Amino acid sequence: GAMALEEDLGRMSLLDVINQRAPTTQTLAGGCEVHSFEAKSLGIFDQWNGLRNICFNVAASLPFQILSWVACVAALVAFALDEHTVDSSSMVPTQTVELACYCFLGFEILVKVIAHGLVGGARSFLTASLFNVVDLCVFVSYWIEMSLPADLKHDWSLRAFRTYRVLRPLTQFSSFAGILGIFRCLRYAMKEIVAAVSFLGLFLMGFSVFGVTFYNSSFARRCVLPDSGVPVLPERWCKDDSCGEGMVCADDVGNPSPMHFDNIGAALLSMMQLVSFDGQYEIMTPALQSEPSFASVGVLYFVFITVSCRYVLFFLCLGAVTTTFQRVRRELDDSQGTER
């Protein structure tokens, strides 16, 4: 299968390719060629370049891998102990350790990109492992934050991205080894997930247009006291004379929350809350009370949203992931059995 071929290419040595003991490409059953390494990393270093050979030997060496793991753990410990001071005039020890670790991460990324290429092969930096993509994003986010003015760091921070680096050292323990399988499953199921999410978005857009058509400006109407114009408590939504004795229906009290159907943006936000398993009554109650003549249609409207978006499409996406996970597991078992 494609995944078994990817595993074979992932174990291939650049030196074997250079010495013509291994092919630079392999062909799938459908005729698609998969490259083991990028022909010219960064568009400069070809397979016979001396610097590329040095970088490959460095990246493949055990001391470099151990140092990379230690630097990752040290950066995470420093991040956890850092008090996040924004005084640019000095750096506390934890920030100094973190700076050194991210300087080494930049060196590690550069070595691996020169050795394997960026995206042009199965062992290229961004295609060989999801953790490499995470490392690159964390590295970029760290230096973006370091370049920000001190006053801006009070209100805007990318520190949360650094916590994702904990996944790499965790996978070194057998208890967390399944993390790699989960990410690989999500990678292979991405097309099905995107299709399901796109289908969900189409349904949400359709229901949002329906909501804007039937409930535009409806949530702004509420029952108020006739003398003071103060909304009654608990809040009651209304239309015409549906408030009853001692109250009148005011048309311009205003929307009580960002969830309403006065425009398509707010309607989409309301749809997201409706399918989130929380607070559905905050939208259903105003809708049914503010349009009593459409109450039966409103009930069917919310039932269709719940059934189609909350359950059918959710389980469709879950089924795509589950099926792909089973296929990935079978291919992994087959590839391991072939090696034995």
Side-chain angles (χ1 to χ4, degrees), residues 136-158:
L136 182 60
C137 293
V138 170
F139 177 76
V140 172
S141 68
Y142 174 81
W143 288 106
I144 289 176
E145 184 173 353
M146 289 292 290
S147 65
L148 294 177
D151 55 346
L152 188 57
K153 292 181 182 179
H154 283 285
D155 305 317
W156 195 79
S157 175
L158 295 172

Side-chain angles (χ1 to χ4, degrees), residues 218-229:
S218 298
F219 287 20
R221 299 193 300 264
R222 287 200 289 284
C223 296
V224 300
L225 299 176
D227 297 331
S228 61

Side-chain angles (χ1 to χ4, degrees), residues 285-312:
T285 300
L288 298 179
Q289 289 182 356
S290 63
E291 297 292 345
S293 59
F294 293 107
S296 57
V297 177
V299 170
L300 292 176
Y301 173 64
F302 290 107
V303 168
F304 280 132
I305 292 174
T306 301
V307 173
S308 62
C309 296
R310 180 181 290 186
Y311 293 112
V312 174

Side-chain angles (χ1 to χ4, degrees), residues 272-280 306 309-311 314-315:
M272 295 302 296
Q273 180 167 343
L274 284 171
V275 300
S276 67
F277 293 91
D278 182 44
Q280 192 175 30
T306 301
C309 296
R310 180 181 290 186
Y311 293 112
F314 171 77
F315 286 114

Side-chain angles (χ1 to χ4, degrees), residues 115-291:
H116 302 136
L118 187 62
V119 293
R123 285 200 64 179
S124 297
F125 184 76
L126 293 182
T127 55
S129 172
L130 178 64
F131 295 134
N132 290 341
V133 179
V134 173
D135 284 348
L136 182 60
C137 293
V138 170
F139 177 76
V140 172
S141 68
Y142 174 81
W143 288 106
I144 289 176
E145 184 173 353
M146 289 292 290
S147 65
L148 294 177
D151 55 346
L152 188 57
K153 292 181 182 179
H154 283 285
D155 305 317
W156 195 79
S157 175
L158 295 172
R159 288 169 57 83
F161 286 103
R162 302 180 211 171
T163 58
Y164 290 106
R165 289 209 75 203
V166 73
L167 295 174
R168 183 183 286 272
L170 280 180
T171 56
Q172 303 299 317
F173 300 96
S174 58
S175 302
F176 297 94
I179 294 177
L180 290 172
I182 293 174
F183 282 123
R184 181 170 293 175
C185 168
L186 292 175
R187 173 186 170 188
Y188 280 94
M190 191 55 62
K191 288 185 179 179
E192 290 83 356
I193 294 174
V194 170
V197 172
S198 300
F199 201 46
L200 173 62
L202 182 63
F203 268 71
L204 292 179
M205 180 61 71
F207 284 122
S208 298
V209 172
F210 182 93
V212 171
T213 303
F214 283 89
Y215 296 112
N216 189 282
S217 302
S218 298
F219 287 20
R221 299 193 300 264
R222 287 200 289 284
C223 296
V224 300
L225 299 176
D227 297 331
S228 61
V230 177
V232 299
L233 295 176
E235 287 184 315
R236 290 180 57 184
W237 285 260
C238 59
K239 187 175 185 180
D240 299 330
D241 57 351
S242 62
C243 290
E245 289 188 30
M247 295 175 289
V248 295
C249 184
D251 293 335
D252 55 354
V253 177
N255 295 307
S257 73
M259 268 62 75
H260 53 80
F261 293 95
D262 290 358
N263 55 69
I264 194 66
L268 283 170
L269 184 63
S270 302
M271 289 298 105
M272 295 302 296
Q273 180 167 343
L274 284 171
V275 300
S276 67
F277 293 91
D278 182 44
Q280 192 175 30
Y281 68 92
E282 296 178 0
I283 300 174
M284 289 183 60
T285 300
L288 298 179
Q289 289 182 356
S290 63
E291 297 292 345

